Amino acid sequence: MLNLAILASGRGSNMVSLVEAVKKKDLPVKIVAVVTNKIGAPCLDKADSLGIPSYCLLPKDFSSRFEYDQALAEFLLEKGVDTICLAGFMWLLGAEFVSRFRGRILNIHPSLLPAFPGLEAQKQALSYGVKISGCTVHFVDEGLDSGPIILQETVPVLTFDTVESLSERILVKEHEIYPRALELLALGKLKVFGRQVEIMK
Ligand code: GRF
């Protein structure tokens, strides 16, 4: 059984898709907490309505990024968390945090990594003029959206796409692959060899 925390800063649609998949598929995952770093983030209300305890840990209450990361790690460890899903968490976790949960942190990113890491991935894809974009679920390492890739899904870029229309279509795929990746992790079907993630039958 995984003891999972979901870290989110915004609307929380991926958080909802993870919670719903755990319930629907009866996955061996206990969702211990939703944690945000933004006051009034919509994901908090969504977590409440799903019956998941939610917490707000604000960067302004800490004197450095390092202290924030440390407090967050300790908070999660006290709650018995062993696995973390980042779902639109607007915060780059430092190396020490990552090493405390190595191989146990997942992230979803709205591009086909390694293309367009960082902020506004959909805008980057449109500006570059790619014909195909998509989304990626990956393990988190010390870099920016750079850890080993678990699953990817493609989405065509259409002639009249705006950032909004492309983001919307990518989000549909995000809600498919993130729960699927969590399921694979929970069932012990992911084996990592360096950058390669093998999916066991
Ligand atoms: C998603 O596009 C995700 O890929 C990115 O942040 C966004 C979060 O959306 N990391 P939501 O809060 O899950 O709706």
Side-chain angles (χ1 to χ4, degrees), residues 8-17 43 46 86-90 107-111 118 122 135-136 145 167 170-171 174-175 178:
S9 305
R11 140 188 88 173
S13 71
N14 278 289
M15 182 269 294
V16 171
S17 78
C43 58
K46 287 185 180 153
L86 306 181
F89 189 56
M90 303 302 281
N107 184 42
I108 177 101
H109 185 76
S111 76
Q122 303 93 331
C135 48
T136 304
D145 300 321
S167 302
I170 292 176
L171 196 63
E174 292 184 37
H175 296 163
Y178 211 0

Side-chain angles (χ1 to χ4, degrees), residues 101-130:
F101 292 94
R102 186 168 299 284
R104 311 297 294 176
I105 313 174
L106 271 57
N107 184 42
I108 177 101
H109 185 76
S111 76
L112 290 178
L113 291 171
F116 315 126
L119 295 174
E120 300 187 317
Q122 303 93 331
K123 191 176 172 190
Q124 293 185 55
L126 281 178
S127 308
Y128 198 92
V130 294

Side-chain angles (χ1 to χ4, degrees), residues 44-61:
L44 290 173
D45 284 344
K46 287 185 180 153
D48 287 347
S49 62
L50 290 162
I52 308 290
S54 61
Y55 307 88
C56 195
L57 205 63
L58 298 175
K60 73 171 180 55
D61 295 332

